[in-house]
Each structure stands twice: as structure tokens, then as C-alpha cells.
Amino acid sequence: MTTRAVSPVYLPPPYQDSAEYGRLILRDGSTATIRVAAPGDRAALREFFAGLSAQSRARRFFSLSVPDQKLIDSFCDNSNPRSQLTLVVTRSRGGSPRIIAAGSYVARDERTAEVAMAVDDAFQGKGLGTLLLERLSILAAQNGIERFWAVTNTDNRQMIDIFRHSGFRVREKVERGTVEVDFAVAPTEASVSGTEIRDRVFTAASLRPFFKPRSVCVVGVSRNASGIGHRIFKALAGRFRGAVYAVNPNARTIDSTQAYASVRELPEPVDLAVLAVPRDEVLQIVDDCAERGVRALVVITAGFAEINEEGRRLQRELVEKVRGYGMRMVGPNCLGLINADPRVQLNASFSPVFPLPGRIAMSSQSGALGLAILSLARKRQLGLSTFVSVGNKADVSGNDLLQYWEEDESTGVILLYLESFGNPRRFARIARRVSRSKPVVCVKAGRTLSGKRAAGSHTAALAGNDIAVEALFRQTGVIRAETLDEMFDLSAFLANQPLPSGPRVAIVTNAGGPGILCADACEAGGLVIPELSEATRGRLRDFLPLTASVSNPVDMIASAGPEHYRQAVATLLASAEVDALVAMYVDVGMADSALVAQAIAEGVKAGRATSRALKPVAVCWMAEPLPEPLVGGQETIPTYAFPESAGRVLAKAAAYREWRAKPLGVVPDFADIQLDAAREICRGALNRRGPGWLATEETRKLLAAGGLPITAGGVATTAEQACELARAVGFPVAVKLASHQVVHKTEFGGVRLNLRNAAAVSRAFAEIRRRVAEQASLDAMEGVLVQPMVSGGVEVMVGVTQDPLFGPLVGFGLGGIHVEILADICFRVTPLTDRDAREMIEGIRGYRLLQGYRGHPPADLSAIEEVLLRISRMVEEIPAITELDLNPIFALAPGKGCRIVDARVRVGTPST
């Protein structure tokens, strides 16, 4: 390959919104709003600069005076971001936003810009300078600026440290009391890593007041015991370790507890406020909360974006107000949240069920389902660390919670119930990192498609929203649960057992049929049920009945008693031949079930004492009543009612362990990709014809700009030109209709193959021209594409379609007619890492053909991988490419590369 592997610097930035606009989270966990300065900001900018201390003003402008109006006017004119751009950060005071920080870059020449920032003295030390520099560098790079330059006084340690710790490769020059810095704005491994660390740490800090508040108030506590506000207050007051306050403007006491008329009248600032009031009162109460220093809000109230356009407008206003005040918000339209930690015992929800404490954290997008989930978790004896009903996810999202739980020492397993993704690309970046240390289990509702959209490419026809979800989960290590029941099955295992170190499973049972069902489920999930060695079988024969089967599954027969289970479990768990164990018990009325359960737990304890490896154990208990999870010493062993459940859980846990054991992939760089030329080809086609398929010559130039292996040849507009091209590339040749209007050329009759002389080429040109005239219009014919025939190799395809939410989706599979008949195609969401590309190739059913099969030579897998990675890079950088099909690509023998024989590219916007 010609790639140069670097760190994954092309991953999307970690912002909830865009680099130009959105929410900032500061070091102290408070928030602010960032946006591009506008002409209406002149007065606010002047006030901001005037409000800086003399020292801060001197450091920004090398002058004690407020900058003149002309300079301020220039900051507010961002009509040409290639020349200059200013970002402002705002925070509300008294309901009105004010500027608390500003950063600018101004072009010095075609490639370099001067960068400078200023931060309100009261907000210095909260990370604002670094956050401004991150976004300014992204915007500068997007607008063609390659380097930043800055100058500051040597005593301005804060600004110097911002540059030094930015992760960019900074060059410094000290001269006469000033420091000049110069650096490339292209992301580096260190800058991306620093951005991710800040995003994670700052986000976790912003959510801490939700889960570990010192005090809480409930707004909307009525005297009616069935009211939601009353129920939340009683749930809090009965458990929470801190102070709880009731707010009701019409009552002085609630159940003998003092109530306050307004949040403003509370005797102390509170960290968390829970709002259970009519919708039209919410905005005013947010003002009250901000005035009293509330840091976090849970808005139970419904009637916002989930109902109509007016609700969506009110929700936007609510979010802007909350962020403007520097607060965070869960909801609206939510059940609330819970922290089951015995040191906190926070039930800021109207759930009547308080979960057992444990290490499982969960987020639910459905409040009603959340109530059922909490009840089910309690029934199955699953302990939770925290639970959050996110509701409309207007501010705090599942992505934010992932980052909090990543930092939370009380959480070991993360469960998500999702109905939709707010920002799947941000989810991918975060989940990929979190899954390396903590398992993330997700139930994604809405799997089915209401129908397939009409598509001009095979890739788009085969891709659907759930395909994108599945690809995203595979890339990020998220364990997908098909049902809520399976999610709890998985969480019970992951929270209490080690991950299997390999695929080998031993099964011990007192009934053959259930053992076979469990073995089938294991093998269907990619696990192995190995034959046991003669030594292990001999140890089993020493204590099992003569009629017992000591192969795997080990069938101890119906008469097996507690001692048989104890010894069999200990023996198999100690064996080096297996990586996991399933112990199964079927009540056939021949043993005391309670004693069998105790024996299994004791066997696990004994096996652990002699085994060199820590192996997971699952129990299938087909008896009444179902036992609580078995406990052996300090260990909890999950139990399942059906053999298939235990098998599926082990299979998914083993697949997750395998994913986690592999090294992280990188997004390679390709120095020879001509992105500017490729963008210009797409831009030119859009300007000339609007959205649609590129002309054949445009497609070839675009692929050539990407360094992709297109087959030699070219487009001829006459029969004479076609013959000249055929002689130049060498016979035999293929002649194909060149048209951006006729997409499926083979079905149209626009392809002629194996033409061995000029006469055949001339006839083919005439026949194709006549076909176009009869069935379409000669305006649809750009000419013919003349290519040499490619022989040997395996036909594969690479395609791209744009998902409206997930962005570019890359597909790979066998090419030619196979893609339509077999639909053997593997998808991934961009940007692809080298690991993603490799797994796509290995993930199709036809992979054996690429490895070489029955005398057929193997294919150049490295060359295919490079095509996938180059395509990923191009569609990431050029959103105008909305659909693409390279089919077929002939993958030649190892070292011979591959050749793109046919290609189609559609340009437009992601929604066209």
C-alpha cells in the first residue's frame, strides 16, 4: 500500500453542534454559547473589551485603551472567513446574553493568519482560551488557512501555556519581551487527544450536580399526594442524604414540611432543581433557578418538541435559556433520574421503585419504558449505579452520559435504550473509546424499514438505517441486545463475570436435550464446543455414573445429584481446555433443587481455587422457582431460564472481548490525494447541471484525483477516436456508453466486450449510438468509454451512500451481478480506520474467494483495503459526493493491485 498511517486525526470534532455555533462546556462544568460574531454584536463587543482589566486588555491589544470602533467593526464582519473570522462566547446575566470571551484570526497572507483571544477576567482559568483556539483552528483549516501566528508578552503565561499545551507543534521565538508562536492548524495526535480529554472531563464535571448534588429542590410540589411533583418530593425526602426543598407559590407547608413560594426564596443555593410544573411556567422558573445559583435542571414537564411546532419552538427557547445561564438540563418530557449509591440515594423521579445499588448504569429514551425497566431490574436482583430518563434529549444526551459513566468509578456496565440518535458521529467517537474499558449494551428500537427509497446505485438500494446502526455498533464495540430481556441477560453476566478469554465453552447438564440447545446457540454465535481430552474425561468418569456422557456437553443423566454437580463444575472450570462454563439443571424430581444450586456455587468456588485463568460461568436453571443469582464466596453467578439465553450471552460477551483485544485502528493519510481538484470537479458539475450523476470523464478525473486505480482508456466522441484509443490501450477492448443520464448501461445494451480489432470497435460505436437514438436521446450520449479488457482476479465492489443522519456509509462486497443476487455486502460508517477496512473485507461471505479457493488465486487484499480507505477519506472531505458505485473492481493476485472497471458518482447535497 502507498498509505502513511497516522493517528485518527480525521475523526469528527467532539462538538454537539458545529465548530461555528453551539454549546461549550467549561472546566468547572458550567456551559456557555459560542457563535460567529455578527454586525449586531458591535455594542456588546465594545462593552466586553471595555470591561476587561487593564492587564487583560494590554495582553490582547498591547494597549490599555479600548480598541477603536473600526477594529470592532472588523471583528463583526465575517463575510469572508478566508480573510478573517471572529468567534464570541456568551453567558446570560439577568436574562440577557453578554460576551465573556472572543477569539479571532486575521489573514496575514494566503496561507497564514494571526490568531488572538481575550477572556473576561472572571472566566479566566476555565478553559475558554483553549476551547476558542480549538474551534478557530478547525474553521481556519476549512477556509484554506494552513498556519497560525501569534505574538504576546513574555509575562502572559496563560496564553503561552494555551499554545504550548494545545497539542499543535508550536515554534517559539523570544525577542525583546515578546514571544512569537507559529504552528500548523492541521490536527495532530496530541491536539486530537487533548480535545477528547477536555471534552470528557468537562462533560463529566457538568453532569456531577445531577448525580451528586448537595441539595435539591422540587418545583411544583402540590398538596395532592398523587401529583407528580408531590411524588418526586416524597421520594427524595424519604431517601436523599442531602437537603430537599419544596417549592409551591400557593402553600406554606406540604405534609408538615415548609414550602417556599419561589426558588429565589430558598434559604441556600441548590445544585439540582426538578421542575414538575405546567409548560407555560417552565421558562420563568428557569430564570428563578439561574438567579438562585442552580447548576442542573431536570424538567419533567411534557408538551415540548414531542407534540407540535409550537412545542419545538418553546423547547429551542428553553435550551437557549438554560445554556445561556451556564446550566445543564435533563429532559424535558422525562421520568427523571436516580443515583442508587448508598451514600447518595437520590430518587429525582416519579418511579415508585428504587433500585438495588450496583454497578450498572442505564439511560432510557422512553419514560414509560423506564418505569418498567426499573421494576424488572429490581425483580431480577440487578443493582444499578444510576438511571436516567433523557426524554427529549434537548440538552443532556446519551453521548454526554456515556462520558460521565466512563469517568464514574461506581459504574462498570452501561445500558442504553435508544429510539433515535441525536448525533451518531459523536456517539461513534465516544462509544469506541468507552467500550475499550466498559461494556456498552444497547437496545435500539425502530429496526424495520417502512420501505426502500428509489436508488440509482446498488449500495443505496442495499443500505438502510438499521444497516447503519449495525455498522456503527460493530465499529464501536457496542453490544447490541435484540430485546430488553436480552439486555438484562447480558448486564447480569457483564456486571458479575469476567469476559471469556477465548471461544471454547464447556456445558454440564443433567438432561441431554437442553445441553444440545445450548451448544447450538453457542456455535451459532461463533463459539466452539470442543471435545474434551481423555485426561479430563477420565477425571469426570471417576465420579459420574457409568451411563453418563463425558463428551461435551457433559450429560450427567437425570439422576445426577448435588455432589455430581459440585465435582463436575470444579473439574471443568479447572481444565485448560475451556474458556467458559455453562452449568444446566433441569428439575426431573430426582434431586433437591436448593442443594443443587448450592453445589454449583461451591463447585465454582473450588474450580476458581485451582484454575490458572479467571473463566466466566453462567447457569441455566430450568426449575421452579427460578433462583436468585447464585452466590459463591464473593462471586455472583447469573442464572437463565433457557439454554439459548445462556449461549447467546456467552457468544456476545466473547465477541466483545475479541473486539476489545484488537488494537485500535487508525485513519491513514494519503499524501497524493488531490482534494482541491476533486472538490472543483464536483463543484463544477453542480454549477453546470445541478445534482445528479457525473459525466464519465468527470468520474474518471475525480477517481484519478483520489489516487484510485482506474483502468486505462478514455472517452471517445467519434468512431475514429474510439479506434485510436483502442489501438493505444491495446486489444482486446471494452466499449461502453458514456452517459450521466443512462445509469445502468448493461441493461440498456450499452456495453460491448472483447472487441479485438478496429472494425469491431467502429461497429460497437455505431450500435451503441443507434441504441441511444432509439431508446433515449442522442443528448444522453457523451460518447463511449474505451478500456482494455481486464482478465483474472475476483470481481468486487465498493460503494457509498449518504445516510441523512449517519453521514457517508461505505459498502463492500463481491462485484458484478453477485451484489444484486447474493446481497453479500458489508457496511461501515465513515471515517474508516484500517481495522474497519480489513474487517469489511473479512466480513463478507465471499471472503474465501478472495483468499483463494479451489485453484483460484487469492486477491490483493491490501489493494482492496487501500481503495476502501481512499474512498472513505474522499467522501469525508467532500460532502458533495452523495452516492458512489465502483462495480466491478477486479482484485488481481497479491502484489498486482486492483483495477476499477466501472464507476458511477452522484453529486449534490446529502439530502438530494
Side-chain angles (χ1 to χ4, degrees):
M1 294 178 66
T2 59
T3 62
R4 177 172 58 88
V6 296
S7 301
V9 296
Y10 301 107
L11 293 177
Y15 312 133
Q16 186 73 29
D17 306 291
S18 66
E20 296 97 330
Y21 171 83
R23 177 198 69 201
L24 288 181
I25 302 178
L26 281 55
R27 181 175 284 114
D28 64 358
S30 65
T31 63
T33 299
I34 190 168
R35 59 177 173 79
V36 175
D41 292 319
R42 291 187 179 93
L45 263 176
R46 185 171 185 83
E47 181 182 353
F48 164 66
F49 291 130
L52 294 174
S53 67
Q55 184 182 52
S56 294
R57 213 161 35 242
R59 287 174 171 173
R60 171 63 179 87
F61 298 106
F62 294 92
S63 170
L64 297 178
S65 61
V66 177
D68 62 31
Q69 193 61 47
K70 182 178 180 181
L71 182 56
I72 291 176
D73 288 347
S74 72
F75 291 147
C76 298
D77 180 8
N78 294 289
S79 57
N80 181 10
R82 179 66 185 81
S83 174
Q84 66 177 41
L85 186 137
T86 296
L87 294 174
V88 295
V89 180
T90 63
R91 173 75 71 81
S92 293
R93 178 194 292 165
S96 299
R98 66 184 184 93
I99 295 173
I100 60 171
S104 306
Y105 67 74
V106 179
R108 304 180 76 205
D109 53 45
E110 289 186 359
R111 299 174 59 189
T112 307
E114 180 177 1
V115 63
M117 292 157 287
V119 178
D120 187 311
D121 291 70
F123 288 88
Q124 291 180 9
K126 299 182 185 296
L128 273 171
T130 299
L131 294 170
L132 276 167
L133 181 62
E134 285 175 1
R135 296 196 179 221
L136 286 169
S137 64
I138 290 173
L139 294 171
Q142 289 176 355
N143 287 289
I145 293 170
E146 298 177 10
R147 302 191 69 84
F148 270 168
W149 175 89
V151 61
T152 187
N153 292 319
T154 53
D155 66 346
N156 190 359
R157 303 307 307 172
Q158 284 182 308
M159 187 56 63
I160 294 171
D161 285 345
I162 286 172
F163 290 126
R164 285 178 176 172
H165 299 151
S166 65
F168 295 108
R169 298 182 182 92
V170 177
R171 299 184 303 204
E172 295 185 19
K173 178 181 177 182
V174 181
E175 189 175 277
R176 297 179 183 178
T178 64
V179 178
E180 289 186 22
V181 298
D182 172 66
F183 55 92
V185 297
T188 66
E189 179 180 3
S191 71
V192 171
S193 175
T195 297
E196 291 199 344
I197 290 171
R198 279 186 291 275
D199 184 45
R200 181 172 77 246
V201 173
F202 292 8
T203 298
S206 76
L207 298 189
R208 216 159 276 129
F210 288 104
F211 299 109
K212 298 178 180 178
R214 292 163 296 184
S215 53
V216 183
C217 72
V218 182
V219 187
V221 183
S222 67
R223 291 192 178 95
N224 182 356
S226 63
I228 289 178
H230 188 104
R231 290 163 58 189
I232 295 171
F233 176 72
K234 297 300 287 185
L236 279 165
R239 289 182 180 273
F240 180 54
R241 299 301 188 186
V244 183
Y245 300 100
V247 176
N248 184 327
N250 303 313
R252 301 307 298 267
T253 61
I254 303 290
D255 289 350
S256 303
T257 301
Q258 181 179 357
Y260 298 85
S262 166
V263 177
R264 296 174 188 258
E265 296 182 11
L266 294 177
E268 63 171 338
V270 297
D271 289 330
L272 175 64
V274 183
L275 278 55
V277 298
R279 184 187 71 172
D280 294 341
E281 298 177 19
V282 169
L283 294 176
Q284 177 57 54
I285 292 171
V286 171
D287 292 333
D288 296 342
C289 290
E291 186 67 26
R292 198 64 187 95
V294 173
R295 301 175 62 194
L297 301 171
V298 174
V299 181
I300 306 293
T301 308
F304 288 90
E306 77 277 7
I307 61 166
N308 55 27
E309 183 55 42
E310 173 62 13
R312 286 188 283 274
R313 184 192 67 77
L314 282 172
Q315 183 165 299
R316 287 192 295 269
E317 188 176 346
L318 171 62
V319 172
E320 289 176 5
K321 189 179 283 285
V322 168
R323 291 181 178 175
Y325 283 130
M327 299 186 289
R328 300 298 314 265
M329 175 182 68
V330 169
N333 183 35
C334 71
L335 166 66
L337 58 86
I338 293 171
N339 184 351
D341 187 331
R343 297 167 295 181
V344 181
Q345 296 199 61
L346 174 76
N347 187 3
S349 78
F350 54 91
S351 169
V353 176
F354 192 79
L356 297 170
R359 294 183 52 76
I360 301 171
M362 182 169 185
S363 166
S364 173
Q365 201 168 335
S366 165
L369 192 61
L371 290 169
I373 286 170
L374 288 169
S375 177
L376 184 59
R378 182 83 191 206
K379 185 180 299 183
R380 297 182 64 163
Q381 300 294 298
L382 287 176
L384 302 186
S385 59
T386 48
F387 170 85
V388 185
S389 162
V390 292
N392 291 0
K393 301 189 297 184
D395 179 41
V396 172
S397 67
N399 293 337
D400 295 324
L401 292 167
L402 276 176
Q403 300 207 90
Y404 176 83
W405 287 324
E406 180 183 14
E407 296 283 306
D408 182 27
E409 293 181 356
S410 300
T411 295
V413 179
I414 299 168
L415 309 183
L416 304 174
Y417 170 75
L418 297 177
E419 293 174 353
S420 64
F421 286 95
N423 188 333
R425 292 167 74 78
R426 185 170 185 250
F427 175 89
R429 184 186 58 81
I430 295 169
R432 192 193 302 260
R433 186 185 69 235
V434 176
S435 293
R436 302 293 293 187
S437 57
K438 297 181 180 181
V440 179
V441 183
C442 183
V443 171
K444 172 63 175 67
R447 298 191 61 150
T448 57
L449 293 171
S450 58
K452 290 186 178 180
R453 69 183 178 91
S457 72
H458 304 302
T459 311
L462 291 167
N465 182 262
D466 196 62
I467 294 290
V469 172
E470 190 68 29
L472 187 70
F473 287 171
R474 287 183 180 274
Q475 287 172 264
T476 57
V478 172
I479 305 168
R480 186 168 196 173
E482 303 301 322
T483 63
L484 289 173
D485 189 57
E486 186 179 61
M487 181 173 71
F488 282 114
D489 283 347
L490 283 161
S491 61
F493 181 90
L494 295 167
N496 295 298
Q497 291 292 307
L499 295 173
S501 60
R504 302 169 302 171
V505 180
I507 301 170
V508 59
T509 178
N510 67 340
I516 294 170
L517 289 173
C518 184
D520 288 346
C522 288
E523 292 192 339
L527 299 177
V528 177
I529 310 299
E531 282 289 338
L532 299 175
S533 68
E534 182 56 40
T536 300
R537 293 201 298 268
R539 285 191 288 271
L540 291 170
R541 289 192 191 101
D542 286 344
F543 59 85
L544 289 179
L546 290 175
T547 52
S549 170
V550 292
S551 59
N552 192 12
V554 176
D555 183 358
M556 301 186 297
I557 69 172
S559 61
E563 188 58 30
H564 295 121
Y565 271 97
R566 182 183 296 108
Q567 293 191 55
V569 167
T571 300
L572 291 170
L573 200 56
S575 171
E577 303 159 44
V578 298
D579 304 304
L581 173 67
V582 178
M584 308 182 65
Y585 172 69
V586 180
D587 187 2
V588 292
M590 299 182 69
D592 186 320
S593 297
L595 292 178
V596 169
Q598 181 182 345
I600 292 173
E602 291 172 355
V604 170
K605 186 176 180 180
R608 294 269 189 249
T610 56
S611 174
R612 294 183 178 181
L614 191 59
K615 302 172 185 177
V617 179
V619 172
C620 175
W621 194 263
M622 303 183 74
E624 291 291 343
L626 287 174
E628 296 181 358
L630 302 183
V631 177
Q634 300 298 313
E635 179 178 355
T636 298
I637 307 165
T639 59
Y640 302 99
F642 300 103
E644 299 92 340
S645 300
R648 283 193 295 265
V649 164
L650 269 177
K652 291 193 174 185
Y656 168 63
R657 189 272 316 162
E658 184 180 3
W659 179 90
R660 203 161 83 168
K662 292 180 181 178
L664 281 172
V666 295
V667 178
D669 187 17
F670 298 93
D672 60 341
I673 292 183
Q674 302 170 38
L675 290 172
D676 289 341
R679 289 190 188 98
E680 186 55 41
I681 292 167
C682 298
R683 189 182 302 117
L686 282 168
N687 290 339
R688 287 189 296 272
R689 299 187 299 273
W693 297 98
L694 292 182
T696 302
E697 195 58 41
E698 291 169 338
T699 298
R700 290 175 60 80
K701 289 179 178 178
L702 179 72
L703 298 180
L708 290 155
I710 56 174
T711 305
V715 175
T717 57
T718 66
E720 291 75 14
Q721 289 179 357
C723 293
E724 290 176 9
L725 276 171
R727 294 187 189 98
V729 300
F731 293 102
V733 298
V735 173
K736 306 173 185 178
L737 169 64
S739 172
H740 63 274
Q741 297 180 33
V742 179
V743 177
H744 300 293
K745 299 175 181 63
T746 301
E747 293 89 332
F748 183 81
V751 177
R752 300 291 186 275
L753 304 176
N754 283 308
L755 306 180
R756 298 187 175 277
N757 52 53
V761 170
S762 183
R763 283 195 303 273
F765 184 95
E767 290 169 0
I768 291 173
R769 181 180 174 85
R770 183 168 59 254
R771 189 89 171 178
V772 173
E774 292 172 353
Q775 297 195 16
S777 165
L778 286 177
D779 292 337
M781 184 173 178
E782 302 157 13
V784 295
L785 174 63
V786 181
Q787 299 172 303
M789 291 296 297
V790 179
S791 60
V794 181
E795 291 186 41
V796 297
M797 63 83 62
V798 173
V800 176
T801 184
Q802 282 277 354
D803 184 275
L805 191 61
F806 290 79
L809 195 62
V810 179
F812 170 78
L814 294 179
I817 62 172
H818 298 94
V819 66
E820 296 171 324
I821 296 175
L822 302 178
D824 183 14
I825 188 166
C826 186
F827 285 95
R828 291 291 185 270
V829 177
T830 63
L832 299 183
T833 65
D834 53 355
R835 174 176 165 180
D836 292 329
R838 198 174 309 117
E839 289 179 352
M840 289 176 74
I841 297 169
E842 295 172 355
I844 63 170
R845 295 189 299 276
Y847 177 55
R848 291 176 66 189
L849 287 174
L850 301 176
Q851 292 179 299
Y853 185 70
R854 291 191 176 181
H856 197 288
D860 192 333
L861 302 182
S862 294
I864 302 172
E865 182 180 326
E866 182 170 323
V867 169
L868 286 164
L869 293 168
R870 285 178 177 272
I871 289 296
S872 169
R873 177 76 195 283
M874 288 185 71
V875 298
E876 275 284 300
E877 297 282 350
I878 310 173
I881 300 174
T882 58
E883 214 167 301
L884 175 148
D885 253 6
L886 309 181
N887 181 26
I889 303 172
F890 279 84
L892 305 176
K896 301 295 184 181
C898 56
R899 299 289 182 273
I900 299 170
V901 174
D902 202 1
R904 297 193 297 273
V905 178
R906 182 180 175 87
V907 294
T909 64
S911 60
T912 59

